[in-house]
């Protein structure tokens, strides 16, 4: 029988079960045993870490079509280094570690897909690091909003972002909530976004990232 990759990732089976999460529910928590990997079929999720001092930070926002908890495949007895939780209603396939490894060894299409995922995740992590080191807070915020709107994906129109607090956005770009609020208001006045409870990103926001088209006021100096 021919292996059906889509069927494997969409349906329950041996070592696989479908899970459904409401916003704020967790796939797993930091420090949990990493014994399964999740394939996010629909919805949005995020990864957060907590320091020994109790400070929490959001380190990644995850769209549908990605794997969550890839550290479970690294070694037996591995622990999750972050907490994965739902931002919106999510549907995911939970795949036990042993089953995932077995099928990857047997089926080239799954191992190829997973390799592409790892390469894309690595490239994005490097881009995030470069962004954090060299770009201004305003430019980092613009990039996060564009990533959440999935601009660059073929056929994706301007769309509403999933619910996100300004605190979460501040954690992602390494600044304060008040500065994020200042930048969001500037983006709205410049016509880059609409914001009325939910954020709608317009393609013109790409000008901030690609062409540095800001107003003349210093973007790093909010009033007060």
């Amino acid at each position: 029988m021919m292996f059906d990759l889509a069927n494997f990732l969409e349906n329950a089976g041996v070592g696989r079960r479908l899970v459904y999460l409401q916003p704020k529910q967790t796939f797993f928590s930091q420090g949990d045993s990493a014994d399964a990997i999740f394939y996010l079929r629909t919805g949005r999720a995020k990864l957060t870490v907590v320091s020994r001092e109790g400070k929490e930070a959001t380190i990644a926002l995850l769209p549908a079509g990605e794997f969550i908890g890839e550290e479970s495949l690294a070694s037996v007895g591995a622990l999750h280094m972050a907490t994965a939780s739902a931002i919106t209603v999510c549907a995911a396939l939970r795949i036990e570690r042993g089953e995932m490894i077995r099928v990857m060894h047997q089926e080239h299409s799954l191992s190829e897909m997973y390799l592409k995922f790892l390469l894309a995740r690595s490239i994005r992590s490097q881009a995030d690091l470069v962004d954090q080191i060299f770009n201004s807070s305003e430019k980092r915020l613009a990039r996060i909003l564009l990533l959440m709107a999935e601009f660059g994906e073929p056929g994706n129109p301007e769309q509403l972002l999933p619910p996100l607090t300004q605190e979460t956005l501040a954690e992602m770009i390494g600044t304060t909530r008040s500065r994020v609020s200042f930048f969001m208001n500037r983006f709205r006045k410049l016509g880059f976004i609409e914001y009325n409870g939910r954020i709608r990103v317009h393609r013109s926001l790409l000008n901030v990232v690609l062409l540095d088209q800001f107003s003349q006021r210093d973007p790093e100096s909010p009033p007060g």
Side-chain angles (χ1 to χ4, degrees):
M1 183 179 295
M2 295 291 292
F3 177 72
D4 187 336
L5 178 60
N7 181 70
F8 178 83
L9 293 174
E10 291 177 4
N11 298 293
V14 177
R16 315 190 312 276
R17 63 183 177 89
L18 296 172
V19 295
Y20 301 92
L21 283 78
Q22 297 297 315
K24 299 184 179 181
Q25 287 187 311
T26 60
F27 294 87
F28 51 78
S29 297
Q30 184 175 337
D32 286 352
S33 176
D35 55 3
I37 189 169
F38 293 82
Y39 178 72
L40 186 59
R41 295 174 55 205
T42 61
R44 295 290 188 92
K46 66 177 180 178
L47 295 178
T48 58
V49 294
V50 178
S51 69
R52 292 182 179 180
E53 293 75 26
K55 184 177 180 180
E56 182 176 283
T58 300
I59 59 173
L61 301 174
L62 308 174
E66 293 209 4
F67 289 97
I68 305 174
E70 59 272 18
E71 60 269 21
S72 64
L73 304 185
S75 62
V76 176
L79 301 178
H80 289 297
M81 303 303 293
T83 296
S85 56
I87 298 176
T88 64
V89 175
C90 291
L93 184 71
R94 183 186 186 276
I95 310 172
E96 294 179 4
R97 178 181 186 275
E99 176 66 5
M100 183 69 175
I101 293 176
R102 182 189 70 81
V103 179
M104 285 177 63
H105 283 164
Q106 294 181 356
E107 304 297 343
H108 175 73
S109 57
L110 178 61
S111 56
E112 182 180 29
M113 175 194 180
Y114 189 70
L115 177 59
K116 289 180 179 178
F117 156 76
L118 289 180
L119 289 173
R121 175 70 62 85
S122 176
I123 292 170
R124 191 169 65 197
S125 296
Q126 292 180 47
D128 289 343
L129 179 59
V130 171
D131 184 54
Q132 191 73 26
I133 294 174
F134 293 111
N135 289 331
S136 67
S137 299
E138 185 168 36
K139 196 169 183 178
R140 295 200 301 271
L141 176 59
R143 179 174 176 270
I144 287 294
L145 294 176
L146 289 167
L147 287 173
M148 288 297 292
E150 297 182 3
F151 279 114
E153 297 294 327
N156 273 0
E158 299 176 353
Q159 59 177 284
L160 289 171
L161 268 60
L164 282 175
T165 66
Q166 292 186 350
E167 286 81 1
T168 296
L169 291 172
E171 291 168 3
M172 289 293 296
I173 66 174
T175 190
T176 62
R177 190 207 64 78
S178 61
R179 190 165 277 187
V180 167
S181 178
F182 172 74
F183 295 150
M184 293 290 284
N185 285 330
R186 270 173 34 89
F187 289 166
R188 179 166 55 182
K189 291 177 181 177
L190 292 170
F192 297 148
I193 64 172
E194 295 176 26
Y195 185 61
N196 185 18
R198 294 282 298 277
I199 304 168
R200 183 183 298 276
V201 177
H202 298 307
R203 293 186 181 277
S204 57
L205 186 61
L206 283 168
N207 295 333
V208 174
V209 175
L210 299 178
L211 304 176
D212 286 327
Q213 290 186 1
F214 300 105
S215 63
Q216 293 184 353
R217 182 181 180 85
D218 180 4
E220 292 295 326
S221 302

